[in-house]
Amino acid sequence: EDQVTQSPEALRLQEGESSSLNCSYTVSGLRGLFWYRQDPGKGPEFLFTLYSAGEEKEKERLKATLTKKESFLHITAPKPEDSATYLCAVGRGGSEKLVFGKGTKLTVNP
Amino acid sequence: GAVVSQHPSRVICKSGTSVKIECRSLDFQATTMFWYRQFPKQSLMLMATSNEGSKATYEQGVEKDKFLINHASLTLSTLTVTSAHPEDSSFYICSARVSGLRNTEAFFGQGTRLTVV
């Protein structure tokens, strides 16, 4: 059965304190790993898609990387506006559905 | 990125009534749309997959007669919560993927906060 596990569940950082969020997955025939950001009371906002091990994507202070077993979302010098829940999801061949992790709630204190 | 619009963003209804939520892909065609439910401080729970021109596929444990889904066009899917009860109060979110590209990301609507009183 496809599984996505995110860690930690919650993370508190000081502004400027870099860190990483983890997404471990087991899926039959990975066809994309997706990162989303969700603010309270809003729908998830798309951040990145990664397709193959070794691939990296960057956007402002965020960088996503992928191996055969996990993905990391690196946050460099975060700001309070980066506070949100970050969701990881995987897609697999033969299915339109995405399997989501439970998310990591990030709080960045000024 | 592509835009998915969901309406209404908030709705309050009385027990026993029905409420309809719309999900539109504004700048792309979506053969498949998805409906999720999210409880406080929890992740997304897939309710059903909505396919244009055919019946929706419901996840195990989701009552198809209670949550009616219609995907009448390549840009519109609707979720109707019938005979709503307070336990149906939740945050409902739709998403859509670009047609023909199976491995692309899904784009989400803003969500609908349903409160049944």
Side-chain angles (χ1 to χ4, degrees), chain A residues 18-39:
Chain A
S18 302
S19 188
S20 298
L21 312 182
N22 178 263
C23 172
S24 298
Y25 64 90
T26 54
V27 63
S28 176
L30 179 72
R31 291 292 184 265
L33 184 139
F34 309 92
W35 282 98
Y36 291 86
R37 169 191 170 130
Q38 186 176 23
D39 293 300

Side-chain angles (χ1 to χ4, degrees), chain A residues 17-71:
Chain A
E17 180 187 1
S18 302
S19 188
S20 298
L21 312 182
N22 178 263
C23 172
S24 298
Y25 64 90
T26 54
V27 63
S28 176
L30 179 72
R31 291 292 184 265
L33 184 139
F34 309 92
W35 282 98
Y36 291 86
R37 169 191 170 130
Q38 186 176 23
D39 293 300
K42 305 286 186 182
E45 174 190 344
F46 169 72
L47 294 174
F48 302 110
T49 305
L50 301 167
Y51 287 112
S52 55
E55 190 175 357
E56 298 182 353
K57 294 271 181 77
E58 282 189 71
K59 179 181 178 181
E60 296 181 351
R61 294 178 292 282
L62 300 177
K63 179 180 174 180
T65 62
L66 181 65
T67 73
K68 289 185 178 180
K69 294 183 179 180
E70 59 191 349
S71 176

Side-chain angles (χ1 to χ4, degrees), chain B residues 23-112:
Chain B
C23 179
R24 294 181 183 273
S25 56
L26 297 186
D27 51 3
F28 67 100
Q29 293 186 331
T31 305
T32 306
M33 292 185 175
F34 306 88
W35 288 96
Y36 295 85
R37 184 172 180 177
Q38 189 172 36
F39 295 99
K41 299 183 180 181
Q42 297 201 16
S43 191
L44 303 170
M45 183 190 81
L46 180 65
M47 299 175 64
T49 303
S50 166
N51 299 291
E52 187 266 337
S54 63
K55 292 183 179 180
T57 302
Y58 290 82
E59 295 299 301
Q60 191 173 6
V62 177
E63 299 177 59
K64 60 182 66 177
D65 293 332
K66 179 162 191 63
F67 298 100
L68 300 180
I69 292 172
N70 183 279
H71 193 157
S73 76
L74 286 173
T75 59
L76 174 63
S77 176
T78 61
L79 168 68
T80 301
V81 182
T82 63
S83 186
H85 291 102
E87 55 265 31
D88 298 325
S89 298
S90 193
F91 191 56
Y92 294 87
I93 314 174
C94 71
S95 75
R97 298 176 86 171
V98 177
S99 298
L101 300 174
R102 295 176 63 86
N103 305 322
T104 59
E105 56 274 8
F107 295 95
F108 286 81
Q110 308 95 312
T112 297

